[in-house]
Amino acid sequence: MKAVRFHEYGTPDVLRYEDVEQPVPAAGEVRIRVAATSFNPVDGNIRAGFMQGPIPVTLPHTPGVDVAGTVDALGEGVDRVRAGDQVVGFLPMTGAGAAAEYVLAPADLLTAAPTSIPLADAGGLPLVGLTAWQALFDHAELTAGQRVLINGASGAVGGYAVQLAKHAGAHVIATAGPLSSARVRTAGADEVFGHGVPELSALVDVVLNLAPVDPMELAALTSVVRDGGIVVNTTVWMPAPSDEERGVRGVNLFVNSDAAQLAELVNLVDSGALYVDIARRVPLAGLPALHAQAAEGALSGKVLVLPSAASLS
C-alpha cells in the first residue's frame, strides 16, 4: 500500500510518499481502509521532533491521528464493529497514523461515522472536535446561560467550540481576525472582537484560549474572568494563567481519544446541530507540501488528506 512516512525528524522534506507493507490487525484491533485523515498542527510538531518527550513515536512514522474509513479486517476478539462498517476515530498519537491507504486502530477508539456527510469529511472531526468538547464540558463544565470567551476562534478547534458552546446555551464571545469574523459569527458567536484581550461589557465565566499568544497576553485573559471562573488553555507549551486571590483557575488541556464523546459529536452532526467545515482536500502524495505550507504559516482551515482520488471531487 501507499503511505507517507518520515524516517528521521526534521523539516517537511523528510516526509516520503512510499510503498509499505499492508498492516495486519492484532487482537483488539481492526484494519481500516482510509477515506481520509486530516492535518493537525501536532503532526508538524511530531515530525519536527518537538514532541519526543510527551509523544514518543517509532521511526519510520506515519502521521495522521484522525481517521475516517471503512473497516476492512478484524483482529481476534473484536466484536464492537464489523467488516464493512464506516467508522471515525482519533488514533493513538504514539502509533502509526492514517496518512496511508490502510491503518490499524484499537476497536474501542472507534465510533460509527456520521451518515449525513461524506465519509471522507468525517476525517476532519475527531481531534479538533474532541479538543473543543473536552475544553468546554470536561474542564470548564460550561452550562446554559454562562458567558464564554473563545480566544482565537477562527481555527478549526475554534469553529467547533463556538458551535458547541452556542448549542449548550452559552453566550459566546469570540476573537478572530478581520478575514474570519464573518465565519465565526455564522458559527454562532454572539459577539466578535479582533485579536487581543477584548474590552467586555461584563465578565465571563470561561475563557478558552486557542491562540499562540505571548505569555503576557495569555496572563491578561484572567482579567475578563469573573471570580471563581476558569481559563482553559490549549497551547500547552505555556502554562494556563490563574488568579488565586479571585479563585480563577487555569487548566492546561491535552486532548484524549474518547469514542463515547466522539459519538456525541457524530450525533450532533447528523442532527444538523454541528457543521463540519472543510477548507480543502489534498491527495495523500501532497501531504509533504501541506506540511511545508503549515510550517510557513500559510495554512488556513481544516485540510483533509485523501488516499483515493475519487474522494477529491
Side-chain angles (χ1 to χ4, degrees):
M1 69 174 189
K2 291 291 187 181
V4 173
R5 304 192 297 179
F6 57 90
H7 295 247
E8 59 185 344
Y9 296 110
T11 58
D13 59 11
V14 301
L15 291 165
R16 303 180 190 175
Y17 178 63
E18 58 190 10
D19 291 307
V20 302
E21 289 293 323
Q22 193 177 91
V24 177
E29 292 183 331
V30 303
R31 185 171 64 206
I32 299 170
R33 185 171 70 250
V34 178
T37 186
S38 78
F39 176 82
N40 291 289
V42 70
D43 295 324
N45 290 329
I46 293 172
R47 183 217 68 238
F50 300 150
M51 306 294 286
Q52 292 182 57
I55 310 176
V57 299
T58 300
L59 301 180
H61 177 71
T62 303
V65 295
D66 290 324
V67 65
T70 304
V71 175
D72 170 72
L74 307 177
E76 184 180 353
V78 172
D79 55 13
R80 291 187 69 251
V81 297
R82 296 176 297 178
D85 285 355
Q86 294 188 336
V87 295
V88 62
F90 173 18
L91 300 173
M93 288 190 174
T94 55
E101 292 180 316
Y102 294 85
V103 68
L104 300 181
D108 59 4
L109 296 185
L110 303 174
T111 193
T115 58
S116 60
I117 61 174
L119 177 59
D121 285 11
L125 178 63
L127 185 145
V128 288
L130 286 170
T131 299
W133 180 283
Q134 291 170 18
L136 293 173
F137 305 125
D138 288 358
H139 295 287
E141 299 181 343
L142 185 71
T143 58
Q146 289 190 316
R147 291 167 56 85
V148 56
L149 169 64
I150 299 171
N151 190 49
S154 59
V157 175
Y160 286 116
V162 169
Q163 293 183 74
L164 290 170
K166 189 65 178 176
H167 184 261
H171 181 86
V172 182
I173 306 163
T175 68
L179 297 178
S180 306
S181 59
R183 178 161 49 85
V184 171
R185 283 193 182 276
T186 299
D190 298 289
E191 302 177 60
V192 180
F193 293 84
H195 294 307
V197 180
E199 296 184 8
L200 304 179
S201 59
L203 297 178
V204 300
D205 301 280
V206 175
V207 168
L208 170 54
N209 179 59
L210 306 171
V213 297
D214 66 61
M216 290 186 63
E217 184 175 330
L218 181 61
L221 289 172
T222 61
S223 67
V224 301
V225 183
R226 65 164 176 82
D227 292 2
I230 187 170
V231 177
V232 182
N233 178 45
T234 64
T235 56
V236 293
W237 57 90
M238 291 188 292
S242 61
D243 185 335
E244 292 184 8
E245 289 187 3
R246 297 196 299 115
V248 175
R249 295 181 297 125
V251 174
N252 290 306
L253 169 69
F254 196 88
V255 63
N256 295 306
S257 185
D258 189 306
Q261 291 177 347
L262 187 53
E264 294 283 354
L265 291 168
V266 167
N267 289 337
L268 290 173
V269 171
D270 282 339
S271 71
L274 190 64
Y275 174 67
V276 177
D277 189 12
I278 304 300
R280 203 155 45 102
R281 299 164 178 81
V282 303
L284 180 59
L287 183 58
L290 194 62
H291 273 243
Q293 291 169 19
E296 294 166 0
L299 207 58
S300 177
K302 174 56 68 175
V303 182
L304 294 182
V305 180
L306 308 166
S308 170
S311 300
L312 288 166
S313 58

